[in-house]
Amino acid sequence: MAEFVRVVAGKGISIAAICGATLFLCRHGFLNHVKHTGDSLELFQNQQGYTGQDLYVPAQVVVDKGFITANETAAVEFAYHIFKTLKIDTDEEIEKWFDNFKNGAVRTL
């Protein structure tokens, strides 16, 4: 699987990982050279060969150099950034989608 990710990333195709999938990227050295996030910096630091601690960002989602990483609580934000990267719709429609799923379809004043 790591070789597949290497090939895909080498072709300029975006890689998206959330929660435990970020740990996979960490274990295989993919996060040593891109800004990234995940469930915790400490979790990454416990992985052999991880040298990307200076690039770790404590955020819901980080997008850098074709990698989209997210922590376990960022499902909506993660999908939003994937949609933006893939340009699945207009920016306006993606923003509407995000607002609806982040803030709810029913709102009270």
Side-chain angles (χ1 to χ4, degrees):
M1 182 59 101
E3 184 56 30
F4 173 77
V5 174
R6 257 187 267 304
V7 169
V8 169
K11 293 179 183 253
I13 298 170
S14 293
I15 305 294
I18 189 171
C19 193
T22 62
L23 192 56
F24 172 86
L25 294 180
C26 174
R27 286 180 179 151
H28 295 281
F30 294 105
L31 303 183
N32 289 339
H33 307 288
V34 297
K35 292 179 186 170
H36 59 279
T37 195
D39 292 338
S40 77
L41 176 57
E42 292 78 21
L43 185 62
F44 291 155
Q45 288 175 318
N46 288 327
Q47 304 307 308
Q48 184 177 1
Y50 176 66
T51 60
Q53 55 271 6
D54 291 340
L55 298 170
Y56 181 85
V57 180
Q60 289 292 86
V61 176
V62 174
V63 180
D64 188 40
K65 299 177 185 168
F67 283 83
I68 304 167
T69 55
N71 71 48
E72 64 187 349
T73 65
V76 173
E77 293 89 345
F78 183 62
Y80 167 82
H81 286 283
I82 292 170
F83 295 167
K84 294 280 281 184
T85 298
L86 295 176
K87 299 178 178 17
I88 65 160
D89 209 333
T90 65
D91 285 346
E92 181 180 275
E93 287 301 314
I94 294 170
E95 294 298 327
K96 285 181 189 177
W97 176 90
F98 179 75
D99 181 61
N100 187 51
F101 279 87
K102 188 68 179 172
N103 300 308
V106 177
R107 309 212 185 151
T108 58
L109 298 177

